[in-house]
Amino acid sequence: MLTAGQARALQLAAQGLLQPLQRRPRRDDVVAAVERMRLLQIDTIHVVARSPYLVLHARLGNYPTNWLDEALAAGKLAECWAHEASLVGASDIGWHRAWRAQRLQHWAQRHALRVQQEHRVEMDALLDRIRANGPVRAADFTRAPGSVAGKPGWWEWKPEKRWLEACFALGELMVARRDNFQRVYDLADRVLARLDPPLDPSTETAEPLTVRQRFIADTVRALGITTAAWIADYHRLKPAVSEQELAPLLERGELLAQPVQGWKTPGYVHRDHADALDKARQGRLRATHTALLSPFDPLVWDRARASAMFDFDYTLECYVPAAKRRYGYYVLPILHRGQLIGRLDAKAHRADGVFEIKALFLQPGTALAPRLVQALADTIHDTARWHGTPQVRLAHCEPAALASRLRACWRAG
């Protein structure tokens, strides 16, 4: 039986967060990290680096963010709806396209079908334009005279933006590349034709049960160890995954059952992690990494799993009214040596070169050990430099004594 700490170490190892990268990052590491996680969620909030870049920074360290953009443009990655809007490895895109018909409950798919019913003629004309003239951005279309941009949301977009997004959700368009994070749309056939590795056509026509089992196995592999209850959220599968559904994968040896202390149900490990599981049992997986995590990092995006695995109750409060926030607008969980030890509310002032920490909270009872303080100081400093905001400005801290110790580390460094 694994201890809770050994289970955490196995999950961190699978996610690439157990230990820091021991060499300088390379371009191929970006694609490898996405393939390891199976998907990389996209989010547009950029008070600090946008989420997909920050997720990779936690795993790769100081890498150039344009490497992610280049991988998409080169066809090594592709965009689709998965957990939410996500990047996936080129070899996986066919499975996600095959699963599109099973996502009818998702808001993007529902809106796309509604727009298609109401504006099929306009959407076909838009596709004809792209076919004749090449890829487009939503920014290439102007608003009608007298119209005013509204609040963010599908229903506030200009018509062409809605049609582009609908065609994307329906699989008629794909994202050829991103320019300054703006999607550049092209016909799906053109994007699929230049994937690296090439598209396996059989994946696009796979039966739903085959695709579902593929996603289940991929999720268990990505998480290192998981209960059945945590599997469905990763790829937004419905209905929930049951232990009975996992039985055939256990019989084939694709999954391994592994009890964990304190868990009422079995843990499941993919056979690809059999060696790591043996190391975990022997206590040989040592967590040494410290990192600031995106709120949309796979390690923490399932709040129930983060609570059970790390005893860390986490809510992204940017969607909460300001007066009701406990920790801040865009709070980054702090990973340190196998534990989630706190949270940091930051804003990058790029024009001024300032990385503002509005508030930093350690978990109650966390001791201010010198090793922890130094690792946290180094991580914040490295993250700030990577943002292009090397001047760190620290405001509120809990415990208060942490602030002076961090500043002392920064002065000494």
Side-chain angles (χ1 to χ4, degrees):
M1 179 175 290
L2 292 183
T3 66
Q6 290 168 340
R8 284 194 297 271
L10 182 56
Q11 187 161 106
L12 290 167
Q15 281 282 315
L17 289 167
L18 186 70
Q19 298 174 346
L21 192 65
Q22 299 299 313
R23 54 169 173 75
R24 298 175 71 88
R26 298 188 288 257
R27 276 183 172 82
D28 289 348
D29 292 329
V30 167
V31 176
V34 175
E35 290 177 339
R36 186 176 200 164
M37 295 181 287
R38 308 315 298 180
L39 53 90
L40 176 60
Q41 185 176 345
I42 299 167
D43 190 82
T44 59
I45 299 173
H46 60 110
V47 290
V48 292
R50 287 186 172 91
S51 179
Y53 304 111
L54 190 58
V55 169
L56 292 173
H57 180 261
R59 289 154 176 78
L60 305 181
N62 187 14
Y63 77 102
T65 57
N66 64 292
W67 286 359
L68 180 60
D69 305 324
E70 291 174 359
L72 175 62
K76 295 181 178 180
L77 299 175
E79 277 197 38
C80 64
W81 286 99
H83 178 78
E84 288 296 330
S86 303
L87 289 159
V88 301
S91 59
D92 281 344
I93 188 61
W95 297 102
H96 290 279
R97 287 176 64 81
W99 192 248
R100 219 169 38 247
Q102 311 306 313
R103 295 182 58 83
L104 297 179
Q105 79 285 351
H106 191 272
W107 68 267
Q109 198 73 19
R110 294 199 312 270
H111 279 288
L113 291 171
R114 187 178 308 146
V115 171
Q116 182 188 48
Q117 291 172 356
E118 297 172 357
H119 299 280
R120 186 69 264 182
V121 173
E122 294 91 337
M123 290 168 63
D124 285 343
L126 180 58
L127 292 172
D128 287 341
R129 169 180 168 164
I130 295 171
R131 187 174 293 109
N133 300 321
V136 300
R137 303 169 302 159
D140 295 333
F141 301 90
T142 58
R143 287 185 174 272
S147 65
V148 179
K151 297 179 182 178
W154 185 296
W155 50 92
E156 296 286 355
W157 290 340
K158 55 193 171 186
E160 292 84 359
K161 171 68 171 174
R162 297 177 68 210
W163 302 337
L164 288 168
E165 289 291 333
C167 289
F168 173 70
L170 295 170
E172 297 169 330
L173 292 178
M174 290 182 65
V175 178
R177 65 180 189 279
R178 281 183 178 256
D179 291 347
N180 295 322
F181 209 70
Q182 294 184 57
R183 282 173 169 168
V184 179
Y185 300 88
D186 200 356
L187 300 179
D189 289 347
R190 291 176 181 166
V191 178
L192 294 172
R194 57 178 180 75
L195 291 179
D196 179 16
L199 175 71
D200 177 356
S202 68
T203 61
E204 283 194 291
T205 56
E207 293 295 325
L209 178 60
T210 300
V211 181
R212 183 176 167 93
Q213 290 210 331
R214 164 83 181 209
F215 286 160
I216 288 171
D218 281 353
T219 296
V220 178
R221 185 190 293 109
L223 288 175
I225 187 166
T226 178
T227 65
W230 301 334
I231 294 174
D233 174 74
Y234 207 84
H235 285 90
R236 295 288 202 248
L237 303 179
K238 289 184 181 295
V241 176
S242 67
E243 292 180 23
Q244 290 76 14
E245 187 175 10
L246 299 179
L249 286 82
L250 288 168
E251 291 172 6
R252 295 199 299 265
E254 191 167 357
L255 298 185
L256 311 171
Q258 174 59 56
V260 178
Q261 288 180 5
W263 291 16
K264 296 180 181 179
T265 56
Y268 296 94
V269 179
H270 196 277
R271 63 185 172 199
D272 287 359
H273 293 313
D275 289 345
L277 176 59
D278 286 341
K279 291 179 180 178
R281 288 171 177 149
Q282 299 166 30
R284 293 170 51 206
L285 292 181
R286 294 182 58 252
T288 61
H289 193 29
T290 303
L292 304 181
L293 303 181
S294 161
F296 303 103
D297 194 293
L299 194 73
V300 296
W301 72 33
D302 184 332
R303 310 316 185 202
R305 171 162 47 87
S307 178
M309 289 288 295
F310 294 91
D311 193 22
F312 190 77
D313 293 320
Y314 178 62
T315 299
L316 179 58
E317 295 182 304
C318 63
Y319 305 117
V320 175
K324 296 184 178 181
R325 290 176 193 145
R326 169 68 178 91
Y327 296 107
Y329 177 76
Y330 196 72
V331 173
L332 311 181
I334 302 170
L335 174 69
H336 174 68
R337 302 182 75 87
Q339 296 281 356
L340 294 174
I341 61 154
R343 52 201 93 205
L344 180 149
D345 184 27
K347 180 176 177 61
H349 300 274
R350 296 169 183 86
D352 302 322
V354 173
F355 190 79
E356 178 190 10
I357 301 174
K358 297 180 178 182
L360 195 163
F361 303 88
L362 291 188
Q363 290 287 83
T366 302
L368 297 184
R371 183 169 67 174
L372 181 151
V373 174
Q374 187 64 60
L376 183 54
D378 290 345
T379 297
I380 292 171
H381 181 251
D382 291 346
T383 303
R385 282 193 308 165
W386 174 72
H387 274 85
T389 52
Q391 182 182 346
V392 179
R393 184 185 299 159
L394 175 61
H396 181 75
C397 235
E398 293 184 20
L402 177 61
S404 60
R405 299 191 188 187
L406 288 173
R407 293 188 183 106
C409 291
W410 294 325
R411 286 194 299 270

